Amino acid sequence: MTYTVNGNTFDAEPNPGQCLRTFLRSLGCHGVKKGCDAGDCGACTVWLDGDPVHSCITPAFRAEGRAVTTIEGLGSPQDMHPMQRQFRDGPGFQCGFCTAGMIMTAVALTDSQRQDLSRALKGNLCRCTGYRAIEDAVHGVAEIEVARPGRVIGTSVGAPAGAEVVTGRAEFTMDTAIDAMLHLKLLRSPHAHARIVSIDKTAALAVPGVHRVYTWEDVPRKRFTTAIHNDHLVDPSDTYILDDVVRFVGQRVVAVLADTVAAAEEGCRKVVVEYEVLPAVFDPEAAMADGAPQLHGSHDPFVHDPEHNILLEIHGHVGDVEAGFAEADVIHEGTYSSPRVQHAHLETHGSIAWIEDGRLHVRTSSQSPSIAKNKLGYLFDLRPDQVRVFCKRVGGAFGGKQEVITEDLVALAALDTRRPVCFEFTREEEFTTASPRHPMSLTVKLGARTDGTLTAIQVRNVSNTGAYGNHGGETLFAGGAAVACYRCANKKFDAYSVYTNSVPGGALRGYGMTQPAFAMESAMHELAVALDMDPLELRRRNIVRPGDGLVAFDDGPDDVMFGEDGLSRCIDLVDDALRRNAVEPPPGAEWLIGTGTASTLHETAPPTDHLAEAWLTLGDDGSYELAIGTVEFGEGTLTAHVQIAADRLGTTPARVRLVQSDTDRTGFDTGAFASAGLFVAGNAVLRAAEALRDRMLFLAAEHAGVDIASCAMDDTGIVCGDRRVSLSELIEVARGRGIRLTEARKAFGSPRSVVFNTHGFRIAVHRMTGEIRVLYSVHATDAGVLINPAQVRGQIEGGVAQGIGFALTENFHVDTNGVMVNPNLRNYRIPAYADIPRTEVLTVDSADSVGAMHSKGIAECCINPVAPALANALEDATGVRFRALPLTPERIYRRLIPVPVRPEPCGN
C-alpha cells in the first residue's frame, strides 16, 4: 500500500485491523496521541485529504492513496502555522496532551464554525484549561507577555516548552521507540472478593510471542503502599505487587509479557484461574457493622480496626459542642454525599523500563519520580545508585499520578528479562482500576444564634477508601479543614476511613477537602435559609480571622499561619460581582433563577514532610541551568520556577534552561502535588537563585576591586560601580580560580499558610426537564503574589471546570457486584466545551504567604467551593435541597415541586 504522510510518500503494510493512530505513531508521528481509542476525546485528530478525523477509529487501510497530515506536518517550532502560534501565545494549553488534536480541528474550521465552537469542538476534550483559553486561542487572543530582565514576577510569560507542545514535538511518556521492547498486559479479577485457588499458565505460555506469565508466586512478597508521600508511614502498607487474595473487581491477578500488545492480551485470555469467591461489602457503613466481611486480617498491623474494616479514625475538637448546641436558637443537621470521580487526565498511566549499564531505568508518567525510585529500590532490593526514574512531559495528573501503579510491573519484567518493557493503561483501566476520588458521606450539624453567630459545629465523615488504603488516611485528615473555615468556640470532627470491596480511592485535586466542602458549605446555606439571612452575610459574621484557632487533632504544634483576612475580601469581591452582573435569563416561563455561593479554606502544602532541592549553575555560554525534580503536567510550576530564577538573577526566562524530573540529573523532590511544586520547590529555586546571585556579586566585586554594595546584576553581566563585568569575563575569572559557579538549596513544606476561595453562580433551572444553565460564574481567590497572572487564571478556570463536572455531569455508575458500567469518556461525561461557562476570575493581592515571592499555590484549592455554590444556587432557584451529587437533570426534575408558570404578557 502507498501512503503519503506530511508530504512524504512511502510503501507500507498496516497490520490486519490496525487503526490509523497506532500506524502513524509507528512511523514516528508521536504528536498523534492516545486518549481513549474510542473516538471520544479527539487527541488523535489528523487530516485525511484536509478533513479532520479521529485516527483511533479510522482503519489504517482507509488512508491508502490519500494525503495524511499530522500536527508535525502543520508546522515546526521554527516555522509555525498561524494557529499553532495562536495556541502558543494564548496560551491555549496546559498539559498539552490534547493540544495537537485541538489545533488540527481548529485549523480546519470555517468562519461560520468558529462562531459556533460549542458544536465545532464537540469532538475534542480538554481536562485542563476550562476551554476559555482554547476559545481565545482559536480567535487569536493572546495573553503571553515578554519579560524584561529582572522584572519577571507578575508577567504572563509563556511556558518554556510552548513551541514544542503546539507543534507536536514535546515528548510525553510513550513518545519513544525502543528496539526489542516487550509489552505487558494484565488479567484482572472479575470478582469483588475472592481467594485464588490455582492459576494455570500453560495455554498462555503457548501463545506465540508470550515470554512470561507472572503470578503472585513470581513477585517479591513485600507489602507496600502505592500512594506517594515523603513519609511512607502515613499510608498503610497493605498492598502486594500481585496477591493471592483479590479485593475489588479489576484488581491485578496475572501479568503477561509478550512481543506485542495483541499477544499479551491473548495470553491474558488463555490464563485459567480458579477462585474461591468470598463475601463482599461495598457500603462503608455496612462494612463497619459487626459481622461484616473482613477485607484485611486481624494480623495486619496497618489497620486501625480490622474487625470493622476501619483503616483509620480521627477525632478532633475544641470546646464543648453539646453546650454549644444548647446555646443555639437554630440548629440545622443534614447528611451530604459525594461520589467517586475519575481524574480523566487524557494521558493514561504508563511506564517504560530497561536495563542500561547494569542499572534499572524507568521512564514514567508520575508526579514524583524521586519517591517512585525509592519504592522500586525497596521492592526489588536495589541501591539508590542502581535505579533511575525520570519523566518527560506528563499529560495531566490532578493527583492521579501520585501513585505507583505501573512502575513496579515494568521494573519487575525488565529486571527479569533484561529487555525493555512497556505497560500502558487503556481508558477502561483508568476508570476501573486507577484511584478515583474517595466517596464520602458527611453529617453536618450546625447551631447558631438568631444574629447568625455560630455556637457549635459538628461533623461526622465516613470515607470509602476502597479495597486498599492508598491515600485514605491523609485525605481524611485534610477534610478536617472543612470545620476550620469558620470561627466557633465549639467544634467537633469525627472521621472514619473504611475498607470496602471497591476500587481504591486516591488523590484528586482538592485532596480530601472537596467532599467536606460540599457538605459544610451546603449546610451553611441551609442554616442561612433557616435564619432568614443572606448566606454571604452569615459567612462574613463567622469567618476565621488571623489569630483564631483552627481545629486540633492532637497536642502537637501547628505550623499553619496566616496574617491577613483574605476570606472576607474574597466574599466581598464575589458579592459585588454578582450584584453588578445581572444576566438575562433564558426566554420562557419554565426557567427558575437562583444564586449560590460557597467559600473554602485550604492549606498551601501537605501536612506531611515535603522536601525539594534546586540546583542552579551559570553555564559557559552565559545561560543558566536550573535543575529541579518537579514534574510538569500542565500546572505551570516550571514556568514559575524559571521566572523566580530569572527575577533574582536579573535576567529573562529565555536565558534559564531547565533540567527537570530526572533522579540522575536533579535533586530530591517529594513531588508536584498539593501545590507544593510552587510553594516548596519554588522556595528551593528562590534560595538557590539568591545564593548564586550573591556568589556572582561577591566574585565580581572582588575582581573589580569595589564594594559589593555597588554591584548589581543585569541580563548579561554585573555592573560594579563604574565598571561592567560581563558574564563571559566572570566565567573566565571563576575558571582561573578553580571555582564552578553553581549553588544548590533545599526547602521544606513548613511553615505553611492558607488560601481562601469564594465562588458564586447565577443559574437557570428548567422546571420541567431539570436542565441547569450557568448564567454567570465568578471566582475569587486569595492568591498571594501572582508570579504569572495568565497561569493563575488558567488554573482557576480549569479547576472550576472540573468542579462543574463533579457537580453536574460525572457519574461513576457501579452495579451491585462492584463493576463500573460506564468506563469510557462517552458515558462518564467529563465536561466538553459546550458545558463550561466563562468564569470571571478575581484575585486578592495578599502578602501573608511564606511561599516563594509571597506566592500561594492555587491550582489545588480552586475546585473546592464550586459544587456547593452550584447546589446552593439550585436550592435558591427551586426551593429544593439536593444533598447528593451529581446534580443531573433526571435527579432534579423528579424532585421538583410543581411551580406555577409565570403568565406570558398579553398583547393588544
Side-chain angles (χ1 to χ4, degrees):
M1 295 181 177
T2 301
Y3 291 85
T4 302
V5 180
N6 297 329
N8 300 312
T9 301
F10 57 93
D11 294 328
E13 193 73 26
N15 296 325
Q18 186 172 23
C19 72
L20 184 57
R21 180 190 70 81
T22 58
F23 180 62
L24 290 171
R25 285 182 63 85
S26 71
L27 300 176
C29 298
H30 291 140
V32 185
K33 302 300 186 194
K34 167 196 167 181
C36 65
D37 275 346
D40 296 333
C41 75
C44 67
T45 303
V46 301
W47 293 348
L48 277 184
D49 293 334
D51 295 323
V53 299
H54 289 179
S55 62
C56 70
I57 55 172
T58 302
F61 74 84
R62 289 189 180 171
E64 182 186 12
R66 303 172 70 180
V68 180
T69 307
T70 73
I71 190 71
E72 293 92 343
L74 197 64
S76 66
Q78 297 75 33
D79 184 21
M80 293 185 199
H81 184 281
M83 187 61 72
Q84 290 172 316
R85 284 197 297 272
Q86 288 172 208
F87 268 74
R88 179 198 63 185
D89 297 340
F93 66 92
Q94 286 183 22
C95 83
F97 199 79
C98 74
T99 305
M102 197 74 71
I103 290 173
M104 296 304 292
T105 297
V107 173
L109 298 179
T110 64
D111 289 341
S112 62
Q113 287 175 318
R114 289 191 186 94
Q115 303 312 309
D116 187 11
L117 292 181
S118 294
R119 179 177 295 274
L121 294 181
K122 66 180 181 179
N124 292 82
L125 296 176
C126 174
R127 191 56 158 167
C128 298
T129 64
Y131 296 102
R132 187 276 314 165
I134 290 172
E135 177 187 334
D136 282 356
V138 170
H139 293 308
V141 179
E143 285 197 63
I144 294 304
E145 301 171 317
V146 177
R148 293 179 295 158
R151 306 283 184 180
V152 184
I153 302 303
T155 304
S156 296
V157 304
E164 286 70 30
V165 167
V166 301
T167 58
R169 271 69 173 183
E171 275 193 51
F172 290 82
T173 310
M174 295 298 165
D175 294 344
T176 187
I178 302 177
D179 291 338
M181 186 157 66
L182 300 176
H183 297 268
L184 189 145
K185 297 298 289 185
L186 291 175
L187 173 67
R188 296 182 179 274
S189 171
H191 304 293
H193 198 191
R195 188 177 308 281
I196 295 173
V197 177
S198 65
I199 301 176
D200 187 347
K201 310 177 184 180
T202 308
L205 288 169
V207 172
V210 169
H211 291 260
R212 297 284 194 280
V213 177
Y214 299 107
T215 74
W216 68 274
E217 296 177 300
D218 303 309
V219 302
R221 195 68 175 166
K222 287 187 175 182
R223 290 178 180 268
F224 74 112
T225 173
T226 61
I228 282 177
H229 286 111
N230 199 29
D231 180 3
H232 70 93
L233 295 178
V234 302
D235 306 303
S237 294
D238 57 6
T239 305
Y240 292 109
I241 296 175
L242 296 170
D243 203 351
D244 62 339
V245 176
V246 291
R247 297 177 174 88
F248 70 98
V249 174
Q251 182 170 330
R252 305 166 170 186
V253 176
V254 173
V256 176
L257 191 64
D259 290 326
T260 64
V261 171
E265 289 176 339
E266 179 63 12
C268 288
R269 286 188 286 268
K270 295 293 186 181
V271 175
V272 178
V273 183
E274 181 184 354
Y275 298 95
E276 175 195 350
V277 178
L278 303 173
V281 60
F282 304 106
D283 177 74
E285 294 284 1
M288 288 192 290
D290 291 340
Q294 293 183 21
L295 273 73
H296 296 269
S298 57
H299 63 278
D300 193 331
F302 302 99
V303 182
H304 172 75
D305 181 359
E307 184 177 345
H308 297 96
N309 293 302
I310 298 174
L311 164 66
L312 178 71
E313 60 180 87
I314 58 175
H315 305 280
H317 74 279
V318 290
D320 182 343
V321 292
E322 294 304 323
F325 287 121
E327 295 175 19
D329 299 310
V330 175
I331 294 176
H332 165 75
E333 185 171 6
T335 298
Y336 307 83
S337 61
S338 303
R340 290 179 182 84
V341 177
Q342 238 297 321
H343 309 79
H345 35 70
L346 290 191
E347 180 200 46
T348 61
H349 284 84
S351 301
I352 301 170
W354 66 93
I355 307 299
E356 183 179 332
D357 299 327
R359 302 174 68 224
L360 174 66
H361 295 252
V362 180
R363 170 174 170 147
T364 188
S365 183
S366 172
Q367 291 176 244
S368 177
S370 293
I371 296 180
K373 171 182 172 174
N374 289 349
K375 286 185 183 290
L376 294 178
Y378 159 73
L379 287 171
F380 301 107
D381 294 322
L382 299 172
R383 300 188 309 271
D385 63 306
Q386 293 177 300
V387 187
R388 173 200 180 200
V389 178
F390 68 101
C391 301
K392 292 296 186 178
R393 194 172 183 89
V394 172
F398 314 113
K401 295 171 181 176
Q402 197 184 335
E403 304 266 353
V404 170
I405 55 177
T406 56
E407 295 88 349
D408 55 340
L409 286 172
V410 293
L412 167 78
L415 289 166
D416 177 32
T417 64
R418 317 305 283 185
R419 287 180 59 178
V421 176
C422 170
F423 178 32
E424 183 178 17
F425 269 27
T426 64
R427 180 55 58 186
E428 181 173 340
E429 286 177 308
E430 285 291 335
F431 278 113
T432 57
T433 67
S435 307
R437 190 187 298 283
H438 295 82
M440 291 184 183
S441 177
L442 293 102
T443 299
V444 180
K445 186 177 180 181
L446 304 175
R449 299 190 182 98
T450 53
D451 65 356
T453 302
L454 290 172
T455 61
I457 300 174
Q458 183 171 337
V459 176
R460 179 180 185 267
N461 182 7
V462 178
S463 174
N464 185 346
T465 194
Y468 297 95
N470 299 26
H471 294 265
E474 289 297 273
T475 52
L476 204 67
F477 272 107
V483 301
C485 200
Y486 299 105
R487 54 166 41 184
C488 181
N490 307 295
K491 298 180 182 181
K492 191 171 190 292
F493 184 80
D494 300 294
Y496 306 84
S497 180
V498 185
Y499 285 116
T500 67
N501 293 110
S502 311
V503 58
L508 207 165
R509 193 178 207 160
Y511 200 76
M513 253 300 290
T514 313
Q515 309 94 311
F518 168 66
M520 186 68 190
E521 289 303 291
S522 295
M524 284 292 288
H525 184 99
E526 292 194 74
L527 179 63
V529 172
L531 289 165
D532 194 22
M533 181 178 292
D534 183 321
L536 283 178
E537 182 57 30
L538 177 63
R539 292 186 179 90
R540 283 193 186 96
R541 295 186 184 190
N542 292 285
I543 56 177
V544 67
R545 301 186 186 278
D548 288 348
L550 300 180
V551 65
F553 293 117
D554 53 44
D555 296 328
D558 188 358
D559 66 344
V560 178
M561 58 186 67
F562 65 106
E564 296 183 22
D565 180 13
L567 182 52
S568 64
R569 293 156 72 186
C570 289
I571 290 173
D572 290 344
L573 286 172
V574 168
D575 192 12
D576 177 66
L578 288 167
R579 293 177 189 277
R580 62 180 162 78
N581 286 279
V583 183
E584 285 294 318
E590 298 83 11
W591 293 96
L592 308 172
I593 310 303
T595 299
T597 58
S599 297
T600 55
L601 170 155
H602 201 95
E603 295 161 354
T604 54
T608 49
D609 188 21
H610 203 106
L611 166 67
E613 185 174 7
W615 305 341
L616 256 171
T617 303
L618 177 62
D620 290 342
D621 61 355
S623 67
Y624 298 91
E625 180 180 275
L626 170 60
I628 186 78
T630 306
V631 178
E632 178 61 60
F633 47 87
E635 79 282 21
T637 299
L638 292 178
T639 308
H641 288 172
V642 168
Q643 289 182 253
I644 292 167
D647 184 85
R648 282 300 183 255
L649 294 168
T651 187
T652 63
R655 294 179 64 85
V656 181
R657 183 176 65 256
L658 271 170
V659 175
Q660 64 191 69
S661 54
D662 186 333
T663 60
D664 268 11
R665 303 180 63 195
T666 61
F668 184 88
D669 191 296
T670 300
F673 52 85
S675 295
L678 177 62
F679 191 82
V680 183
N683 263 329
V685 172
L686 175 65
R687 293 169 187 174
E690 290 177 340
L692 180 59
R693 175 201 62 192
D694 293 347
R695 189 172 190 186
M696 292 169 64
L697 289 173
F698 179 83
L699 184 61
E702 191 176 63
H703 174 65
V706 299
D707 188 88
I708 193 171
S710 66
C711 298
M713 306 282 294
D714 70 15
D715 192 23
T716 58
I718 299 175
V719 177
C720 297
D722 296 330
R723 183 184 168 190
R724 187 173 183 282
V725 178
S726 68
L727 292 182
S728 58
E729 182 181 355
L730 189 68
I731 291 167
E732 288 301 318
V733 172
R735 184 178 293 116
R737 299 187 183 185
I739 297 172
R740 187 168 182 238
L741 292 172
T742 184
E743 290 289 343
R745 290 294 185 274
K746 296 178 181 178
F748 297 86
S750 183
R752 300 173 289 153
S753 54
V754 295
V755 182
F756 296 105
N757 303 80
T758 298
H759 199 97
F761 282 110
R762 183 165 290 116
I763 67 171
V765 185
H766 197 282
R767 60 182 299 276
M768 300 300 294
T769 67
E771 176 190 354
I772 291 178
R773 291 187 187 178
V774 177
L775 306 178
Y776 179 62
S777 172
V778 59
H779 188 100
T781 185
D782 165 34
V785 172
L786 307 187
I787 291 177
N788 189 307
Q791 284 192 168
V792 169
R793 180 185 179 190
Q795 286 297 307
I796 291 173
E797 289 169 336
V800 171
Q802 283 189 312
I804 290 174
F806 173 51
L808 299 184
T809 67
E810 298 180 39
N811 210 345
F812 202 105
H813 290 286
V814 179
D815 68 16
T816 56
N817 296 313
V819 179
M820 185 187 185
V821 298
N822 59 325
N824 54 67
L825 293 172
R826 184 166 305 181
N827 296 320
Y828 177 76
R829 279 277 286 122
I830 69 171
Y833 173 91
D835 299 312
I836 301 301
R838 284 212 172 200
T839 292
E840 183 175 0
V841 176
L842 307 171
T843 57
V844 172
D845 186 12
S846 58
D848 69 334
S849 174
V850 289
M853 318 298 291
H854 297 290
S855 63
K856 297 183 181 183
I858 49 80
E860 178 84 15
C861 59
C862 53
I863 191 175
N864 291 336
V866 176
L870 265 171
N872 293 339
L874 179 59
E875 181 184 10
D876 187 54
T878 65
V880 180
R881 167 53 60 171
F882 295 81
R883 293 176 178 166
L885 297 176
L887 307 172
T888 56
E890 62 270 22
R891 288 182 174 181
I892 294 171
Y893 87 81
R894 288 173 184 161
R895 290 193 57 207
L896 287 186
I897 300 171
V899 177
V901 177
R902 297 192 304 270
E904 294 289 343
C906 297
N908 293 324

